[in-house]
Amino acid sequence: MPTDRPTTKSRIRGRASFAGRKLKTAGKLAPKRRRVTTAGAASRQHADRARVDIAELKQREASFRLLFDGNPVPMMVCARDDERILSVNDAALVHYGYARSDFETLKLSDIQAFETATPWSGGQTADERATRIWKHIKADGSLIDMAIYARDLTFNDQPAVMLALIDITERKRAEARLAFMAQHDGLTALPNRIMLRQRLDESLALTRRNGEKVAVLFVDLDGFKGINDTLGHAVGDKLLKCVTKRLRSSVREEDAVARLGSDEFAIVQAGAGRPEDVAVLAKRLIDAIGEPYMLDGHTVLSSASIGIAMAPGDGDDAEKLLKNADMALSRAKSEGHATFSFFEAEMDARAQSRRLIEIDLRAAIEADALVPHYQPLIDLRSGRITGAEALVRWPHPVRGMISPAEFIPVAEETGLINVIGALMLRRACTDAARWPSEVSVAVNLSPLQFRTGNLLSIAMDALRQSGLPPNRLQLEITETLLLEKSDQVLATLHALRALGVRISMDDFGTGYSSLSYLRSFPFDKIKIDRSFVRDLDSNRDAQAIMRAIVSLGTGLGVTITAEGVETEAELSYLRAEGCHEGQGFLFSRARPNAEIVRLLAAQNDSHAVPDICLAAG
């Protein structure tokens, strides 16, 4: 039966003819016409695939060799089953120092330190394997830190793992150095405050379990700033290193020694016994630090003050214990050099009180609530008021009048004294400008006011705004200021005196070398401290000192003022010795400006005011 469908043979011939045309088109020789069977075509396709597989394999092997042999990163191939090292690249030979023949006899475990697992062990995620650090042993026996990246492959027809070995030893050392620097002092290599806090937390946690005590000792070098200023910071640094050695040698190995600041150290003693035992340690530390030092050809003497707090009695957390030890240190330093003090509960109460004073004092300054009162200065020959000393007063809305002895130390500690000093200077100049022209005003200066560098401009502004002539302003300084021997201080004093301002030395005789100060600066007045005036009528030593000072003042042409005159007998003796001025409760307490104005008006009306009237006014 006729049909339109082609026969099988015709279909094969048609395909062969089409294939021949394609090969010719591609520019390749095509076979002559021949019969093509299905089996023949399949055989040819299999051969073609084999040739492709071999070519790909060679290409892969060439790529592997290029990646492996020429890689600057150390690499090796290990048998997956027994860890034998099958191959290493040149970079691994150089890095580890082994010969290739040595590597071929080793297993991976032979160059691993402290580890039995392999980088391709199960039970680890890819991220965990990537972040793990392995210790390897080089041919010279040194240890290196390695980050290892593993990849499975077939090597010489066996399962294997290719390892890329990244040496991170230097990075780990750098990280360790940074971590050390973050927790240690750069000069002494002692733990710093951060690490001390950690050690203290650990000791306190142990104490809560076993009931033992922990002692914290704050050690502060006395007069370290003076050593730095006179001998230089290089000597100061060497002194700190020597102190570090003596501290370490004076405590137990398990005790923590830290440096907290410039000249401040701390010791944490876990398992401390009785307070008496800690006191013995404090004495031993003071004795050790007090021994002379030979530094750069200088014999250096130093001493230490120590504050002690003990847990759990003085606090059961690190913050409170450190704070209480610091308060105890402040007490020790206030009592003199080379001493120690234990924390007491009332210290914290005083600290809280001082904090409240600071807060209220700032508010008082903001509200302009501080006012000057004036204590008259009396000419002992005529009995007239020749001047008045301005003394700051603080009328508190709740506590009443607060004593300067209570708030002035707080002002000096917090730096508020600079604001208060400038305020009192302006107010005193303004008030005195309305007094009679022959009456002067005296204002006390704190040493801290000289350190800001703007005292001269403040004084000039106060004089200009008030209109007070400079020769009616007396500025009183203490010997403490001159102890600093600062060029800036002397330059400021000379500049003030050049303006016409009078300079007085207050509390004369209470310092270390008062006579030498009289040579370093031409004072206009010397005010003898009240301690030399007290019981002057019966104390022969005080009489001899007073006679000598008055004679010295007369010889130098300096006015001598006696402070703290309280009895008629003291007044009589001062007059007999030729003292020029007196000041004290015998004459008058410190008064508000309005009362001073009335006294001066009465003095002008009567030309003299009897002493007894001043005291009663």
Side-chain angles (χ1 to χ4, degrees):
M1 179 180 293
T3 177
D4 295 332
R5 296 176 63 185
T7 65
T8 300
K9 290 182 180 181
S10 65
R11 286 201 302 271
I12 292 175
R13 282 195 300 270
R15 288 175 183 171
S17 175
F18 175 74
R21 288 196 300 272
K22 281 190 69 178
L23 288 175
K24 287 181 179 179
T25 304
K28 294 183 179 180
L29 293 175
K32 295 183 178 179
R33 290 178 178 267
R34 61 184 178 183
R35 296 183 66 179
V36 179
T37 64
T38 303
S43 176
R44 172 174 285 183
Q45 290 174 359
H46 179 74
D48 290 342
R49 280 199 300 271
R51 284 195 293 270
V52 170
D53 289 342
I54 293 172
E56 288 180 355
L57 183 61
K58 289 182 179 180
Q59 185 177 1
R60 289 178 184 174
E61 184 177 354
S63 298
F64 170 77
R65 286 299 169 189
L66 181 63
L67 173 66
F68 186 78
D69 292 335
N71 202 312
V73 175
M75 303 183 78
M76 64 176 60
V77 177
C78 298
R80 189 173 182 83
D81 54 356
D82 59 6
E83 304 177 27
R84 285 180 300 108
I85 298 175
L86 303 176
S87 181
V88 294
N89 67 356
D90 292 340
L93 297 176
V94 173
H95 198 76
Y96 282 84
Y98 295 102
R100 192 178 299 274
S101 57
D102 294 332
F103 262 124
E104 292 173 353
T105 64
L106 297 175
K107 293 183 177 181
L108 181 63
S109 58
D110 294 328
I111 62 171
Q112 275 186 185
F114 319 123
E115 290 285 350
T116 57
T118 61
W120 60 86
S121 299
Q124 299 181 73
T125 65
D127 290 339
E128 288 173 341
R129 284 196 296 268
T131 57
R132 185 167 180 176
I133 298 172
W134 303 80
K135 288 281 188 183
H136 279 194
I137 308 170
K138 296 176 70 172
D140 60 6
S142 60
L143 295 179
I144 51 178
D145 294 306
M146 306 298 291
I148 300 178
Y149 300 87
R151 180 178 179 181
D152 290 329
L153 52 73
T154 300
F155 187 84
N156 292 340
D157 298 328
Q158 62 175 315
V161 180
M162 182 173 68
L163 305 178
L165 309 158
I166 312 298
D167 192 335
I168 59 172
T169 306
E170 286 305 317
R171 191 190 81 188
K172 294 296 293 181
R173 287 175 182 167
E175 291 173 353
R177 282 194 296 269
L178 289 174
F180 184 87
M181 290 169 61
Q183 295 185 322
H184 291 78
D185 171 56
L187 177 66
T188 63
L190 288 175
N192 60 13
R193 187 180 292 272
I194 296 173
M195 191 170 183
L196 175 75
R197 178 71 178 269
Q198 295 175 358
R199 292 286 300 273
L200 184 54
D201 284 335
E202 294 169 1
S203 298
L204 290 173
L206 184 61
T207 296
R208 296 185 191 102
R209 293 195 297 269
N210 59 23
E212 292 183 343
K213 295 180 179 179
V214 174
V216 176
L217 296 87
F218 270 23
V219 182
D220 186 88
L221 300 185
D222 302 319
F224 179 72
K225 183 180 183 299
I227 295 172
N228 257 348
D229 292 343
T230 56
L231 300 179
H233 289 276
V235 172
D237 288 348
K238 289 180 180 179
L239 175 61
L240 292 174
K241 292 180 180 179
C242 290
V243 169
T244 297
K245 291 180 181 178
R246 294 187 184 185
L247 289 175
R248 280 176 163 164
S249 64
S250 300
V251 300
R252 302 171 304 181
E253 187 175 348
E254 60 267 29
D255 296 334
V257 181
R259 184 185 177 204
L260 304 182
S262 173
D263 58 350
E264 192 169 288
F265 298 83
I267 296 170
V268 174
Q269 187 182 53
R274 304 170 303 163
E276 292 85 350
D277 298 328
V278 182
V280 170
L281 171 61
K283 291 176 182 176
R284 186 164 69 245
L285 294 172
I286 290 173
D287 290 342
I289 294 172
E291 290 292 324
Y293 303 82
M294 183 59 67
L295 304 172
D296 290 350
H298 302 282
T299 300
V300 179
L301 298 176
S302 184
S303 60
S305 299
I306 299 178
I308 306 169
M310 297 185 67
D314 298 334
D316 57 0
D317 65 87
E319 189 67 29
K320 188 172 183 180
L321 206 57
L322 293 171
K323 183 189 75 170
N324 291 344
D326 195 27
M327 281 193 282
L329 175 62
S330 298
R331 162 73 72 82
K333 292 186 74 68
S334 69
E335 293 177 350
H337 298 328
T339 187
F340 65 90
S341 175
F342 281 89
F343 171 77
E344 297 173 2
E346 56 267 25
M347 292 181 186
D348 188 44
R350 283 196 297 270
Q352 296 300 328
S353 175
R354 290 169 78 88
R355 176 60 180 159
L356 292 176
I357 288 176
E358 180 188 347
I359 294 173
D360 288 351
L361 185 57
R362 291 183 184 275
I365 294 172
E366 186 70 23
D368 199 20
L370 301 178
V371 295
H373 282 198
Y374 301 94
Q375 187 172 33
L377 296 165
I378 308 300
D379 185 300
L380 297 186
R381 286 186 294 270
S382 66
R384 295 177 64 82
I385 300 173
T386 57
E389 180 180 353
L391 302 169
V392 62
R393 292 293 182 263
W394 180 11
H396 193 279
V398 177
R399 300 175 56 187
M401 195 69 75
I402 298 180
S403 169
E406 191 173 353
F407 70 84
I408 289 298
V410 176
E412 290 184 330
E413 288 178 8
T414 58
L416 293 174
I417 193 66
N418 294 309
V419 181
I420 296 173
L423 175 65
M424 288 301 103
L425 182 58
R426 287 193 294 268
R427 291 285 298 274
C429 289
T430 300
D431 290 343
R434 298 180 176 88
W435 300 347
S437 59
E438 70 276 9
V439 179
S440 62
V441 64
V443 179
N444 289 286
L445 296 178
S446 166
L448 296 177
Q449 291 177 262
F450 283 81
R451 295 174 189 166
T452 59
N454 62 349
L455 178 60
L456 178 62
S457 62
I458 289 175
M460 293 174 65
D461 288 343
L463 292 170
R464 183 175 59 255
Q465 292 173 12
S466 65
L468 181 73
N471 64 351
R472 291 180 57 198
L473 174 62
Q474 298 176 13
L475 297 178
E476 299 184 0
I477 66 170
T478 63
E479 298 175 42
T480 305
L481 176 66
L482 296 176
L483 277 174
E484 298 181 7
K485 298 180 180 180
S486 167
D487 292 338
Q488 178 187 343
V489 169
L490 290 176
T492 303
L493 289 174
H494 281 290
L496 288 167
R497 200 164 188 271
L499 289 175
V501 175
R502 305 306 181 190
I503 307 297
S504 303
M505 178 182 283
D506 198 13
D507 301 332
F508 182 79
T510 59
Y512 294 100
S513 54
S514 304
L515 295 180
S516 66
Y517 300 143
L518 297 181
R519 289 191 351 177
S520 65
F521 186 82
F523 290 95
D524 298 285
K525 179 184 289 189
I526 294 174
K527 301 187 74 174
I528 304 173
D529 186 71
R530 66 183 66 247
S531 61
F532 294 103
V533 177
R534 191 180 303 117
D535 301 326
L536 189 59
D537 57 320
S538 59
N539 189 321
R540 291 192 175 185
D541 292 338
Q543 291 173 1
I545 293 172
M546 181 64 66
R547 188 178 301 114
I549 296 175
V550 172
S551 176
L552 178 66
T554 302
L556 294 173
V558 175
T559 300
I560 302 297
T561 302
E563 297 180 295
V565 182
E566 297 183 356
T567 68
E568 290 286 351
E570 293 168 353
L571 174 61
S572 297
Y573 186 86
L574 291 169
R575 280 174 168 164
E577 290 296 336
C579 185
H580 305 124
E581 281 185 340
Q583 177 183 357
F585 287 161
L586 176 64
F587 308 115
S588 175
R589 58 178 172 79
R591 300 166 179 264
N593 182 54
E595 294 185 20
I596 292 295
V597 170
R598 287 197 296 271
L599 281 176
L600 293 173
Q603 174 173 273
N604 283 342
D605 291 342
S606 62
H607 302 291
V609 181
D611 301 340
I612 189 66
C613 294
L614 277 176

